Amino acid sequence: MLFYSFFKTLVGQTVTVELKNDLSVVGTLVSVDQFLNIKLDNIKVEHEDQHPHMMSVKNCFIRGSVVRYVHLPPAAIDTALLQDAARRESQQSTATAKA
Amino acid sequence: MADTVTAPITSVEEPLDLVRLCLDEHIYVKLRGDREVRGRLHAFDQHLNLVLGDVEETITTVELDPETKEESVHTTNRKMDMLFVRGDGVILGLIPSILYTAPLPKKLDNHAINLFRPPRERYETPILFDLSKD
Amino acid sequence: MSSFLPNHLFTTSGSLVDLLDKRLLVILRDGRKILGFLRSYDQYERIYVKDVYGDIQRGVFVIRGENVVLLGEIDNIKDDEQPLQQLPYDQVLRMQQEEAEARQQKEKVKNQLLHNQGFSVDFLETDLY
């Protein structure tokens, strides 16, 4: 749930989603769900000449499993808070596994 | 929240505990698709989804020389400020050298450390602990 | 810290409601692109090779979720402006075949070389998606 919550805090930011087929889509993050499926608005495709089919697409839904990277705006991220949350979540899941 | 956590923060009982010790450390991650990334670990989960900061990515490609018809291996580098890496692409991660040089956490098993220890010449920092004679 | 706590309800299907009856581009894991209206009888398959494309008329498609890479809503204004050239689909199919064969050949050479360098090459192209 850590990354689902994390991406929710980034809604409204401009991100670049890089897919495993090398397609890179820049757009405004509209929503995210628990599978980390992503919806982007006002999209622009990098290297559009190699992906001509994306030319007339304005917004899109990307299945979480096909994502390789998401490039994030560093200014929007509190890294200390994020590390804290990651530490807490990993210890919680260890504790749950033992119980 | 704190009372639900039974294990002390330094205990290493399962592989993901080692990853937790890498938080805020500079790590190396090998990925599918002939990619490697180095960066500061800010977050991870049980799928090995990661958030890395100050990232440098190396992509290995094979190019064919149109003249000589010879294939050669090339690497290209990319720098990124902040990157989310989806866990299904992760093959392995290397523990930063500080984990070998720092005092051992109480429960850290020497065998586990040895298994994860990369060749010495990889790191400039000398490894202070000689774990081979225990 | 409360912003990271899992205290929300969530649904996936709900988020697709607003794409209903819109004209969509669906990219599948094998690279196929399907254009059509979500929940309508008006779908066809379009094959792109570089800057030409060909359409194959298809009926109703039910697509299994795991094969979906991306759903994109088509902007009709942008669609009219696109500079691509349409060709008969059998011609485009042939071009696609040739492109695929060239790529496979390249992939084979690449895998061999990278395998020698210690890279993992034990997966199919479609595993990458």
Side-chain angles (χ1 to χ4, degrees), chain C residues 8-128:
Chain C
H8 325 273
L9 284 174
F10 43 81
T11 65
T12 320
S13 52
S15 71
L16 287 181
V17 164
D18 50 336
L19 293 179
L20 267 183
D21 298 324
K22 297 260 170 59
R23 187 150 170 262
L24 295 187
L25 164 76
V26 184
I27 304 183
L28 300 188
R29 287 203 303 172
D30 62 359
R32 266 195 280 189
K33 288 97 192 170
I34 295 182
L35 282 98
F37 293 89
L38 192 57
R39 281 187 69 194
S40 88
Y41 305 96
D42 196 13
Q43 303 181 352
Y44 50 94
E45 185 176 342
R46 180 173 287 190
I47 299 156
Y48 288 86
V49 182
K50 297 204 178 107
D51 46 5
V52 299
Y53 66 91
D55 286 345
I56 305 172
Q57 293 295 329
R58 302 284 199 189
V60 182
F61 265 34
V62 179
I63 303 166
R64 193 177 151 92
E66 61 177 346
N67 297 311
V68 174
V69 170
L70 179 146
L71 307 173
E73 188 184 334
I74 307 264
D75 185 325
N76 285 324
I77 300 166
K78 278 188 173 177
D79 199 30
D80 290 340
E81 290 169 352
Q82 54 142 326
L84 304 183
Q85 182 198 357
Q86 182 168 11
L87 292 178
Y89 73 80
D90 47 351
Q91 195 177 336
V92 182
L93 266 180
R94 259 199 317 277
M95 291 166 72
Q96 190 196 33
Q97 177 101 25
E98 284 162 18
E99 204 181 79
E101 276 165 14
R103 198 176 52 237
Q104 271 170 16
Q105 186 57 35
K106 219 174 133 188
E107 192 78 357
K108 222 170 120 182
V109 175
K110 190 193 97 175
N111 279 352
Q112 215 155 31
L113 268 171
L114 289 184
H115 182 66
N116 298 339
Q117 301 237 333
F119 283 96
S120 156
V121 291
D122 61 335
F123 54 88
L124 302 166
E125 199 180 349
T126 48
D127 285 345
L128 275 176

Side-chain angles (χ1 to χ4, degrees), chain A residues 1-2 4-6 8-9 19-21 23 25 31 33-35 37 39 43 49 52-63 65-66 68 78 81-82 85 88-89, chain C residues 1 3-6 8-12 15-16 18-19 25 27 29 33 48 50-51 65-76 78-79 82-84 127-129:
Chain A
M1 295 310 283
L2 172 71
Y4 170 55
S5 309
F6 170 66
K8 276 186 96 94
T9 68
L19 308 190
K20 288 170 183 163
N21 61 357
L23 178 68
V25 190
S31 69
D33 64 20
Q34 85 266 37
F35 304 113
N37 295 330
K39 280 179 99 177
I43 64 157
D49 48 323
H53 50 280
M54 294 298 290
M55 272 191 284
S56 38
V57 176
K58 53 182 174 183
N59 59 56
C60 69
F61 169 97
I62 299 168
R63 195 174 142 98
S65 64
V66 306
R68 177 188 291 136
D78 181 339
L81 187 71
L82 184 58
R88 201 176 314 113
E89 172 128 331
Chain C
M1 81 174 237
S3 58
F4 289 112
L5 292 179
H8 325 273
L9 284 174
F10 43 81
T11 65
T12 320
S15 71
L16 287 181
D18 50 336
L19 293 179
L25 164 76
I27 304 183
R29 287 203 303 172
K33 288 97 192 170
Y48 288 86
K50 297 204 178 107
D51 46 5
E66 61 177 346
N67 297 311
V68 174
V69 170
L70 179 146
L71 307 173
E73 188 184 334
I74 307 264
D75 185 325
N76 285 324
K78 278 188 173 177
D79 199 30
Q82 54 142 326
L84 304 183
D127 285 345
L128 275 176
Y129 291 83

Side-chain angles (χ1 to χ4, degrees), chain A residues 1-11 15 29 31-38 64 67-72 77-79 81-90 92-93, chain B residues 16 19 23 27 40-53 82-88 90, chain C residues 3-8 10:
Chain A
M1 295 310 283
L2 172 71
F3 285 92
Y4 170 55
S5 309
F6 170 66
F7 275 111
K8 276 186 96 94
T9 68
L10 295 174
V11 165
V15 297
L29 185 63
S31 69
V32 65
D33 64 20
Q34 85 266 37
F35 304 113
L36 304 186
N37 295 330
I38 285 172
V67 171
R68 177 188 291 136
Y69 300 138
V70 183
H71 303 244
L72 307 163
I77 295 162
D78 181 339
T79 54
L81 187 71
L82 184 58
Q83 287 177 19
D84 231 45
R87 202 170 280 120
R88 201 176 314 113
E89 172 128 331
S90 85
Q92 247 178 345
S93 54
Chain B
L16 280 180
V19 184
L23 276 169
I27 61 166
R40 190 168 298 283
L41 182 66
H42 291 307
F44 71 94
D45 66 9
Q46 69 270 41
H47 307 292
L48 267 298
N49 289 324
L50 310 171
V51 170
L52 298 172
M82 194 66 75
L83 189 70
F84 164 81
V85 180
R86 193 172 160 95
D88 57 5
V90 173
Chain C
S3 58
F4 289 112
L5 292 179
N7 52 1
H8 325 273
F10 43 81

Side-chain angles (χ1 to χ4, degrees), chain B residues 26-88:
Chain B
H26 202 77
I27 61 166
Y28 162 92
V29 183
K30 188 176 156 83
L31 300 170
R32 299 183 95 168
D34 317 316
R35 283 154 200 268
E36 297 153 277
V37 287
R38 286 162 296 279
R40 190 168 298 283
L41 182 66
H42 291 307
F44 71 94
D45 66 9
Q46 69 270 41
H47 307 292
L48 267 298
N49 289 324
L50 310 171
V51 170
L52 298 172
D54 298 320
V55 188
E56 195 179 343
E57 183 200 37
T58 305
I59 310 171
T60 307
T61 51
V62 172
E63 270 152 55
L64 185 76
D65 190 314
E67 305 266 297
T68 62
K69 298 277 174 216
E70 292 222 340
E71 299 93 7
S72 52
V73 176
H74 291 264
T75 57
T76 42
N77 285 310
R78 257 202 307 181
K79 282 194 195 305
M80 294 157 280
D81 290 329
M82 194 66 75
L83 189 70
F84 164 81
V85 180
R86 193 172 160 95
D88 57 5

